[in-house]
Amino acid sequence: MDIEKYEEDVPPTRWENIVEFIMFRFRWLFVVPFLLPLSFLFNTVFDIRNRLIHLVNSAPNAHVRKVNYIQEQLKEWNENGRKTKLVNARPGWLTMSFRFPLYKENATKIATDKLFDILELDVERMIIKVEPGVTMGQISRYLIPRGYTLPVLPELDDLTIGGLINGCGVESGSFRHGMFQHICEQFEVVMSSGELRTVGPDPGAKTKEAKEGNSLFYAIPWSQGTICFLTAATIKIIPCKKYVKLTYKKTSTLNEMCQSLTTDSDRFADNVDFVEALQFDKNKGCIMLGEFSDGPDTDDEVINPIGRWYKKWFYTHVEDLINKRQQSVEYIPLRDYYHRHSRSIFWELRDIVPFGNNIIFRYLMGWLCPPKIAFLKATTPNVLRKLYDRSHVLQDMLIPLENLEECVTLFDEEVEIYPLWLCPFYLKYQPGLMRLKNATSKMYVDVGAYGVTTKKGYHHARTTRVLEKYVISVNGFQMTYADIYMPKAEYAEMFDRTLYDWKRTTEGCLDAFPDIYDKICRNNRR
């Protein structure tokens, strides 16, 4: 694709503008009375189901049956001549991407969508084994009461283990522990042949089998399920405390934000366990430094349970704090902290339920929030999709922290959506698609832009290409759940396909799974 070849969007007619305005501004008329109760009911039933599964400990035996069924499906596909590509059977509206995948339409769908149980907790080895459909909400609800957590636990409740491994995951603990893939110990996978394997990192691998398992382990992250089917993951856990002591630090210029965030992102600091920042406009921002804590030492210190239904959306609470004082400290219950952006879906919910942060709404109906992202996606009408195609931005660009100032400036010039989410993460050299160039380790930062832009001159394809070209120029990466417009050659420049292509060839994937680029490029999503 070439940026100059993109056609301009056909301007909507006056009637289409009116319909779009009504659908966009009054979507809450459907979301509030229908999707909120439905989401609450779904979450309640699923939580009861999970508690029963844990009580009777039926997950491990059920897992064996589910994996056997996956193998049977693949055996049948092989016996029928391997005539179609393989994909998982998860419906498109359940994915975190805003788009619906087109590549599934003529593919063989393998039923991996029933894998959503926690299988084992081993506190001696400090690991937890889970199926790929397990969500961050499940994990935090299960581990924290037992005194443990994941070193990297991304913020949104509905993010799944499989999505964070086959895709990627970053959160405020990543400045120390790296990306989600870096806390994984083992993957249980089923190959296109139906063979079940357990693979993990083994630096001293000497046998052929061990070397193959080692290389496969590093090839899976970011591969979007185009090498094998993930059926379980073994992940590190760490001890945790009841609260997070959160310090809010106001920054008044972009330069101050970049310099302070660089200083505060010292992964060897003793008293910092979490680092993130919000940039509210070109100048004003806030850096948040968190530390595991048992709670306040004095009665004067504030405990703020930000996860309660009547509380302000977190990002608005942060802005209110820095408008009042230069620095503040609060103690936040750990699970509330982890899911601080869930109730407002970062800041996407402000466009869907404009009065959602109103105190009356929060007290009366806040306990039903948030609507499930999957339900919002499934019920988005076509007329609203056209508006989102033109003006909705959903991008995470991963760049070296040293380039943050020019990157934020570029986002301001091209997109102008605020707040921007800034999350530093430690990236170490490893084989695989996200392989560092000319460094053994480096501090990166996730620059996240979410929402509808009114920036004059914004064009979804052309603007995204400007951002993509910049990210490539600084040896950065683009999260591939988002709209990808770069051509295949540029994708291969951004990501190192060496190991990925070798494993696809040696493991018999070429005729079995779509190529990763064919899954993520905008042309194969609607």
Side-chain angles (χ1 to χ4, degrees), residues 153-213:
L153 201 156
E155 289 81 2
L156 296 182
D157 290 43
D158 289 345
L159 292 171
T160 64
I161 295 291
L164 295 168
I165 292 172
N166 284 316
C168 72
V170 176
E171 66 94 30
S172 56
S174 292
F175 83 102
R176 173 166 292 164
H177 301 285
M179 306 191 76
F180 193 84
Q181 67 204 56
H182 298 140
I183 66 169
C184 295
E185 295 275 291
Q186 282 185 334
F187 300 141
E188 179 191 274
V189 299
V190 180
M191 309 306 293
S192 64
S193 63
E195 178 189 2
L196 179 65
R197 293 191 203 172
T198 299
V199 298
D202 185 3
K206 294 181 180 179
T207 66
K208 180 181 178 181
E209 182 179 358
K211 289 179 180 178
E212 288 178 351

Side-chain angles (χ1 to χ4, degrees), residues 199-238:
V199 298
D202 185 3
K206 294 181 180 179
T207 66
K208 180 181 178 181
E209 182 179 358
K211 289 179 180 178
E212 288 178 351
N214 187 53
S215 58
L216 182 57
F217 176 82
Y218 288 115
I220 289 171
W222 288 78
S223 67
Q224 300 289 343
T226 58
I227 294 177
C228 55
F229 290 106
L230 181 69
T231 55
T234 301
I235 306 169
K236 297 175 187 176
I237 60 173
I238 58 174

Side-chain angles (χ1 to χ4, degrees), residues 326-386:
Q326 193 70 24
Q327 184 166 313
S328 305
V329 177
E330 291 181 328
Y331 289 81
I332 299 175
L334 180 57
R335 192 167 189 275
D336 287 8
Y337 172 78
Y338 275 133
H339 301 294
R340 62 200 177 279
H341 295 302
S342 285
R343 286 196 303 127
S344 57
I345 317 178
F346 278 90
W347 29 93
E348 291 272 22
L349 200 56
R350 66 185 176 184
D351 291 329
I352 299 170
V353 185
F355 48 84
N357 201 39
N358 178 277
I359 188 171
I360 297 175
F361 179 84
R362 294 200 315 265
Y363 270 89
L364 293 180
M365 303 197 71
W367 54 279
L368 291 172
C369 289
K372 289 191 75 65
I373 296 173
F375 294 168
L376 288 171
K377 182 176 176 180
T379 58
T380 301
N382 287 332
V383 64
L384 206 51
R385 287 190 183 282
K386 293 179 181 179

Side-chain angles (χ1 to χ4, degrees), residues 12 125 238 261-262 332 335 349 384-385 394 415 493 501:
R125 295 169 57 202
I238 58 174
L261 192 60
T262 300
I332 299 175
R335 192 167 189 275
L349 200 56
L384 206 51
R385 287 190 183 282
L394 191 61
V415 179
E493 185 180 352
D501 287 336

Side-chain angles (χ1 to χ4, degrees), residues 3 6-7 389 458-466 468 485:
I3 187 171
Y6 286 117
E7 295 181 1
D389 279 344
Y458 173 84
H459 183 273
H460 55 96
R462 184 166 51 245
T463 302
T464 303
R465 290 294 290 120
V466 170
E468 289 172 346
Y485 288 93

Side-chain angles (χ1 to χ4, degrees), residues 280-458:
F280 290 99
D281 57 37
K282 183 68 182 295
N283 295 307
K284 184 177 69 175
C286 180
I287 297 173
M288 289 156 280
L289 307 178
E291 178 186 1
F292 285 121
S293 172
D294 292 317
D297 296 321
T298 67
D299 293 337
D300 296 333
E301 296 176 301
V302 177
I303 294 179
N304 186 4
I306 59 174
R308 300 280 178 88
W309 76 94
Y310 54 84
K311 289 290 186 175
K312 287 182 180 180
W313 290 344
F314 180 69
Y315 77 95
T316 64
H317 169 64
V318 174
E319 189 168 20
D320 286 346
L321 282 179
I322 64 173
N323 285 339
K324 294 174 183 176
R325 57 185 68 92
Q326 193 70 24
Q327 184 166 313
S328 305
V329 177
E330 291 181 328
Y331 289 81
I332 299 175
L334 180 57
R335 192 167 189 275
D336 287 8
Y337 172 78
Y338 275 133
H339 301 294
R340 62 200 177 279
H341 295 302
S342 285
R343 286 196 303 127
S344 57
I345 317 178
F346 278 90
W347 29 93
E348 291 272 22
L349 200 56
R350 66 185 176 184
D351 291 329
I352 299 170
V353 185
F355 48 84
N357 201 39
N358 178 277
I359 188 171
I360 297 175
F361 179 84
R362 294 200 315 265
Y363 270 89
L364 293 180
M365 303 197 71
W367 54 279
L368 291 172
C369 289
K372 289 191 75 65
I373 296 173
F375 294 168
L376 288 171
K377 182 176 176 180
T379 58
T380 301
N382 287 332
V383 64
L384 206 51
R385 287 190 183 282
K386 293 179 181 179
L387 172 65
Y388 286 165
D389 279 344
R390 293 196 309 273
S391 56
H392 187 260
V393 179
L394 191 61
Q395 292 286 349
D396 284 90
M397 299 299 188
L398 315 179
I399 59 157
L401 184 53
E402 63 198 35
N403 299 109
L404 178 59
E405 186 168 358
E406 61 185 17
C407 183
V408 172
T409 300
L410 181 64
F411 266 88
D412 183 77
E413 293 171 352
E414 297 290 339
V415 179
E416 202 175 2
I417 285 181
Y418 291 101
L420 289 175
W421 188 55
L422 308 177
C423 186
F425 66 95
Y426 173 69
L427 183 59
K428 58 183 176 180
Y429 179 88
Q430 281 186 346
L433 283 161
M434 199 178 184
R435 184 181 180 184
L436 267 177
K437 301 179 180 72
N438 305 319
T440 56
S441 64
K442 200 165 190 175
M443 194 61 71
Y444 270 61
V445 60
D446 179 352
V447 180
Y450 324 115
V452 174
T453 180
T454 56
K455 179 74 173 180
K456 186 177 181 180
Y458 173 84

